[in-house]
Amino acid sequence: AYTQYESTLTPNWSAYGGIRWEGIWTTGALADGSHPKNRSSVWTPLAHAVWKPDPKGRDQVRIALTRSYRSPDLNNLIALRSVSPRNGPDRPDRIGNPDLKPELATSLDVAYEHYLADGGMVSANVFTKRFSDFIRNVTRDVGPAGSPLYVSRPENIGNAASHGVELEARLRADQLFGAEAPRTDIRANAAFYRSSIQDIPGPDNRVADQASMLFNLGLDHRFRGTPFLLGGSFNWTPGYRTQLSASSWSEVATKRILDVYGLWNVNPDVAVRLLASNLLAQDYDSVSGFDFGAGAQTVATTTTRSRPSLQLRLELKL
């Protein structure tokens, strides 16, 4: 349930605010006859404001204060155990947690958008986010002394924080390099992130799957007087290490992806597109490790194979 109110305060200022209530009830049935139950609910207020330096212009500053609610994934709630045939810290058994609480996040975003006279836009966004009851899989040895048995289980591990800056630009090459440059559309964005989880020792106690930065660049060139369009995109994400718990960690390698395409507009309703994806075809290694103490550890490496692909598409507008 939610309610929201929008208002134009002045010619320069507009705003809207609201509040949402969300609740989830779950119940399960275990082999021992027990029926674990979980009930959670949360109020999530939100407030957005937009300021325009010129009421008739398109440039604007956006400010948003929100609280979000992420319920546990159903598979994380199911307590059925998945047994690993080669049990170890890098290949643990897996089990759900019916007592998981929802993950809450409070965010503050400030963004500036500047629109160019001949089309195009550049923007910058700064954000900070605070999490409570943060969810992460934790691997523990639950076996008796001398008979280790490792089990991975999702748990609410405490508080976390994430901060970042996101930059984006959409413009033409002649707007950037002068009138002599080709009229090629440029799409670019870069982002820089920092995060930490309170109850996990650093460094690298980052939020899972969050690189320290990323970069994307796209180009689209239309040949004047012809129905042909040529373009492509390049994505780069540097490798990073994540401390998953006091004793476990993971690493992923740098990723580079290059896609190119050619488009032939046969008529306004029919187009033929040739798309070549993943031309660099890099294989990626991911490493996971578990520290036993006293300098002893186990490390496992997984290689993900990567291959290029070629597609020919006929696109029809109905």
Side-chain angles (χ1 to χ4, degrees):
Y2 73 94
T3 184
Q4 183 173 302
Y5 176 75
E6 302 181 22
S7 176
T8 300
L9 305 176
T10 71
N12 300 84
W13 282 95
S14 62
Y16 69 86
I19 190 166
R20 173 191 295 268
W21 179 89
E22 187 171 353
I24 291 183
W25 294 263
T26 62
T27 183
L30 300 183
D32 61 7
S34 62
H35 295 270
K37 296 181 179 180
N38 195 339
R39 177 174 178 172
S40 62
S41 63
V42 65
W43 290 98
T44 55
L46 60 89
H48 289 254
V50 176
W51 174 67
K52 290 190 172 185
D54 180 0
K56 297 181 180 180
R58 300 177 64 191
D59 289 7
Q60 61 184 17
V61 176
R62 295 184 291 104
I63 305 170
L65 177 63
T66 59
R67 195 177 190 216
S68 58
Y69 169 92
R70 186 170 74 91
S71 60
D73 184 272
L74 182 60
N75 289 331
N76 286 337
L77 292 172
I78 297 174
L80 182 66
R81 186 166 172 171
S82 174
V83 178
S84 172
R86 296 176 56 190
N87 184 273
D90 57 329
R91 296 180 178 87
D93 292 357
R94 299 186 182 275
I95 193 170
N97 180 1
D99 294 321
L100 275 180
K101 299 177 182 178
E103 187 179 280
L104 299 178
T106 301
S107 305
L108 176 63
D109 292 74
V110 179
Y112 173 65
E113 299 174 355
H114 172 62
Y115 291 86
L116 306 178
D118 295 331
M121 182 268 290
V122 293
S123 68
N125 179 62
V126 180
F127 74 88
T128 181
K129 182 180 290 188
R130 302 282 179 174
F131 301 90
S132 60
D133 290 323
F134 192 76
I135 298 174
R136 171 164 282 182
N137 288 328
V138 178
T139 300
R140 303 183 189 277
D141 180 3
V142 299
S147 299
L149 177 63
Y150 293 93
V151 175
S152 176
R153 182 174 183 259
E155 298 180 6
N156 296 107
I157 61 174
N159 300 326
S162 177
H163 320 281
V165 177
E166 298 169 327
L167 307 173
E168 182 180 3
R170 299 195 304 269
L171 67 167
R172 294 195 313 270
D174 59 321
Q175 294 174 308
L176 188 62
F177 302 109
E180 300 301 322
R183 294 177 66 87
T184 301
D185 293 333
I186 301 174
R187 299 168 281 109
N189 72 281
F192 306 88
Y193 302 112
R194 293 292 182 272
S195 60
S196 62
I197 300 175
Q198 187 177 52
D199 294 336
I200 294 179
D204 303 319
N205 56 339
R206 69 180 77 239
V207 173
D209 303 322
Q210 186 186 74
S212 59
M213 68 170 295
L214 58 87
F215 174 75
N216 299 302
L217 175 65
L219 302 175
D220 301 288
H221 181 75
R222 184 179 298 277
F223 296 89
R224 293 183 179 180
T226 74
F228 296 104
L229 185 69
L230 183 65
S233 63
F234 175 72
N235 310 100
W236 177 73
T237 304
Y240 58 93
R241 175 188 172 104
T242 304
Q243 192 72 33
L244 301 173
S245 68
S247 55
S248 59
W249 51 270
S250 67
E251 289 182 356
V252 296
T254 297
K255 292 186 177 181
R256 302 176 183 87
I257 300 174
L258 176 64
D259 301 331
V260 298
Y261 75 91
L263 180 67
W264 174 33
N265 290 297
V266 181
N267 60 53
D269 296 324
V270 179
V272 177
R273 184 185 300 268
L274 180 63
L275 176 64
S277 303
N278 193 28
L279 289 180
L280 300 180
Q282 292 186 324
D283 296 339
Y284 302 106
D285 290 338
S286 58
V287 182
S288 60
F290 191 92
D291 297 319
F292 297 96
Q297 67 175 0
T298 181
V299 176
T301 301
T302 301
T303 300
T304 301
R305 301 298 181 185
S306 177
R307 296 290 182 268
S309 66
L310 187 65
Q311 300 179 47
L312 181 62
R313 299 178 182 173
L314 176 64
E315 302 177 356
L316 306 175
K317 292 182 180 179
L318 303 179

